[in-house]
Amino acid sequence: MKVAKTFTFYCLSLLVLSQPIAAQKTFSLKQAREYAVEHAYSVKDKQLELEKAKKTITETAAIGLPQIKAEARHQYNSQIPQTPLPAILLPNPPEGVDFVLVQFGVPHQSSYGIQASQLIFDGSYIIALMATRVFKEIARNDVQVSKVDIIDNVTKSYGAAVMTKELIRILEENLSVLRKVYNDNRKLYEEGFIEEQDVDQLDILVNTVSNQLDNTRRQYDIALMLLKLQMGIPIDENIALTDGIEIFESIDDEAFQLLSKPFDLMQDYQYKGILLQEQAAGLQLKRHKMSYLPSLAAFASHQQNSFGQTFKMFDFNQYWVPVTIVGASLSWNIFTGLDRYAKTSKARLDLLRVQNAKKQIEDGKQVEYNRARSDFEFALNNLRVRRKNLGTAARVREKTLIKYREGLAGSFDLTQAENQLIEAQSQYVQAMLQLVNAHSSLNKLLGNYNN
């Protein structure tokens, strides 16, 4: 019996171990950016818009291609129309009757036909075809804008997650030290060497740091959820970040190179977008101007008709009467009230609005660059100050801890030193995150995220 149970357990173990285990996805910052560019929801949406713009070009171009239509038709005249004819035309006209009703037609009439038409010239069509290509470029530029934006957002979210994880590590170390001091003091109190107030003071400090650690862990989970959302990963899927705070500490070393790079407005995809909109608005104005010109088209049609007293639509042994027409049409809207004038005027105003927006973006981007550069320089200096303060606070806490163990400092002094260290650590992490955000914003404006 025991052998059977052992064998059964062995088989179940093999069965469990043979099941595939889903590997946890790991991402460096570089890999997170690359993944987001391919899978982010916002990027996919813009890519679909680009595909839609390509189909619009085909749709517009189809207007100028040959149009061919085939048609089959059967008509049953339940009441054949009657036409009055002068009775005098008949061989034996009835007396006293001026007109007689005569039926012209048969009950059944069938026809097969094919029609073809070709647009020869239409100025509005030519401009519309050019405009669709510009709209495609606008859609393609929007894809690039979304990619740059997602790289910027992922960089900042990745940085926030890394900094939050670093803060968790710091708080865990602080809590470990405090719990050891608390446990040591608890023993000293039980032996009557110190007062209960010293133990209570440390207990408050331990609880405060523990609560802060729990909250920071929750913030880390939220930061990961936000990062997954931006990357296009289901939020219930587990991921791990392989890069740590060290990848952002090198920002200080490359700051001079970044600050030395000149600002080029043409590297900004949003500015490229307004240039394309200006081009599209100009073409729209030309399209309305072209509506003053005539349009020319050619057409041809051929029909085979059958007439009879019975239904013979599928009887091809009978004689079918052919009808063939070939021609051309010239259409010219000479006067349409003030419709064309109003549309042309509106298009001209739209062009002026886009040009005004372009000027605003030119000035606004320069201001945005100057602000981003200033924020980056401040973040650099702020990080250096916070790093120095962190070192000082760590030394003060260490010396205070030594004095506390030797009985030269009280619990209040230790609590104050610990609070100062926690505040300095938090400020350092916040300064590092501020630098990451400022660094990413400046890279975005300088075109360093462009593909």
Side-chain angles (χ1 to χ4, degrees):
M1 186 67 177
K2 184 177 181 181
V3 174
K5 289 183 178 180
T6 303
F7 178 75
T8 302
F9 176 77
Y10 176 74
C11 292
L12 290 174
S13 300
L14 288 178
L15 180 62
V16 172
L17 292 175
S18 64
Q19 298 298 317
I21 300 177
Q24 185 183 47
K25 291 183 179 180
T26 58
F27 294 95
S28 64
L29 176 59
K30 182 175 182 295
Q31 290 171 336
R33 289 170 172 173
E34 292 173 348
Y35 187 94
V37 166
E38 295 295 328
H39 300 88
Y41 302 118
S42 58
V43 175
K44 286 184 176 180
D45 179 68
K46 296 302 180 182
Q47 288 173 337
L48 292 174
E49 283 292 332
L50 175 58
E51 292 302 315
K52 182 179 176 181
K54 292 178 180 179
K55 300 304 179 185
T56 302
I57 292 179
T58 304
E59 179 184 5
T60 305
I63 299 175
L65 298 178
Q67 309 292 311
I68 301 175
K69 181 177 70 171
E71 182 181 22
R73 182 178 180 181
H74 177 77
Q75 178 177 325
Y76 172 65
N77 301 315
S78 59
Q79 287 185 328
I80 300 175
Q82 295 178 330
T83 302
L85 289 179
I88 194 174
L89 297 178
L90 298 178
N92 299 309
E95 296 182 1
V97 177
D98 295 328
F99 292 91
V100 294
L101 296 176
V102 181
Q103 289 183 334
F104 286 93
V106 292
H108 293 273
Q109 178 179 348
S110 302
S111 66
Y112 292 95
I114 185 170
Q115 300 176 10
S117 62
Q118 171 64 57
L119 183 65
I120 298 176
F121 173 79
D122 190 319
S124 298
Y125 164 73
I126 296 173
I127 301 300
L129 189 60
M130 296 171 60
T132 55
R133 299 186 184 278
V134 175
F135 290 141
K136 186 187 74 170
E137 292 304 315
I138 292 176
R140 179 178 283 117
N141 187 77
D142 288 343
V143 172
Q144 298 303 321
V145 170
S146 65
K147 288 182 178 181
V148 170
D149 287 342
I150 204 64
I151 291 174
D152 178 46
N153 292 334
V154 166
T155 300
K156 293 176 180 178
S157 296
Y158 196 102
V162 168
M163 299 309 162
T164 307
K165 187 175 182 179
E166 175 66 14
L167 187 57
I168 291 174
R169 183 193 66 79
I170 291 173
L171 291 174
E172 287 177 342
E173 290 181 356
N174 292 344
L175 187 59
S176 177
V177 172
L178 288 174
R179 280 176 173 167
K180 185 177 186 306
V181 174
Y182 171 78
N183 292 332
D184 292 343
N185 282 16
R186 187 72 186 176
K187 294 178 181 178
L188 291 175
Y189 165 70
E190 291 173 354
E191 295 175 1
F193 290 103
I194 60 175
E195 297 180 0
E196 185 179 9
Q197 177 183 350
D198 294 331
V199 179
D200 292 341
Q201 191 73 35
L202 283 173
D203 185 41
I204 293 174
L205 188 57
V206 168
N207 292 334
T208 301
V209 175
S210 178
N211 183 61
Q212 186 175 357
L213 176 59
D214 291 339
N215 182 61
T216 306
R217 285 170 176 163
R218 290 192 294 269
Q219 293 300 318
Y220 178 71
D221 292 337
I222 294 175
L224 280 183
M225 290 175 63
L226 177 60
L227 178 61
K228 287 185 285 187
L229 178 64
Q230 292 173 342
M231 291 174 61
I233 298 176
I235 59 176
D236 57 349
E237 189 171 322
N238 293 325
I239 66 171
L241 310 184
T242 58
D243 286 335
I245 194 173
E246 67 280 353
I247 65 168
F248 299 112
E249 290 177 336
S250 61
I251 294 177
D252 199 346
D253 300 331
E254 58 188 46
F256 177 78
Q257 180 181 0
L258 186 63
L259 292 171
S260 301
K261 185 175 180 178
F263 175 60
D264 183 5
L265 190 59
M266 290 305 299
Q267 293 297 319
D268 188 272
Y269 280 115
Q270 290 181 340
Y271 182 69
K272 290 180 180 179
I274 198 66
L275 292 179
L276 289 170
Q277 290 180 30
E278 181 184 23
Q279 187 177 352
L283 288 173
Q284 185 75 347
L285 177 59
K286 288 182 179 180
R287 186 176 74 86
H288 287 298
K289 289 181 177 179
M290 284 291 186
S291 66
Y292 285 90
L293 299 178
S295 61
L296 179 63
F299 61 89
S301 67
H302 177 77
Q303 277 190 340
Q304 295 286 127
N305 300 293
S306 170
F307 307 92
Q309 296 294 328
T310 59
F311 178 78
K312 296 182 179 181
M313 186 173 185
F314 302 107
D315 182 5
F316 299 104
N317 293 322
Q318 65 174 324
Y319 178 72
W320 289 75
V321 181
V323 178
T324 302
I325 301 174
V326 178
S329 65
L330 178 68
S331 176
W332 192 359
N333 294 324
I334 298 175
F335 182 71
T336 59
L338 296 176
D339 179 70
R340 283 182 302 193
Y341 171 76
K343 289 180 178 179
T344 304
S345 300
K346 285 172 60 179
R348 186 177 290 107
L349 293 173
D350 287 338
L351 176 59
L352 292 175
R353 289 184 61 195
V354 173
Q355 291 173 341
N356 183 63
K358 182 183 73 170
K359 179 59 178 175
Q360 183 181 9
I361 289 179
E362 289 173 351
D363 296 339
K365 285 295 178 179
Q366 186 63 49
V367 173
E368 188 177 351
Y369 166 72
N370 292 336
R371 182 174 61 236
R373 181 186 174 93
S374 175
D375 291 344
F376 180 65
E377 291 177 338
F378 170 78
L380 277 174
N381 295 329
N382 185 52
L383 179 65
R384 292 163 184 165
V385 172
R386 299 304 180 188
R387 185 185 291 127
K388 182 179 180 181
N389 291 345
L390 176 60
T392 303
R395 290 194 300 271
V396 170
R397 198 280 298 267
E398 189 63 29
K399 292 179 181 179
T400 304
L401 187 60
I402 294 174
K403 289 181 180 180
Y404 181 80
R405 288 170 176 168
E406 294 177 352
L408 300 177
S411 59
F412 178 78
D413 297 324
L414 181 59
T415 300
Q416 186 178 23
E418 190 66 32
N419 287 332
Q420 287 178 346
L421 176 61
I422 293 175
E423 181 67 19
Q425 290 168 336
S426 178
Q427 289 179 352
Y428 174 73
V429 171
Q430 291 297 325
M432 179 66 77
L433 181 58
Q434 184 182 26
L435 179 61
V436 170
N437 293 340
H439 179 259
S440 183
S441 296
L442 188 57
N443 271 310
K444 177 183 175 182
L445 282 170
L446 290 174
N448 293 336
Y449 290 159
N450 296 353
N451 295 331

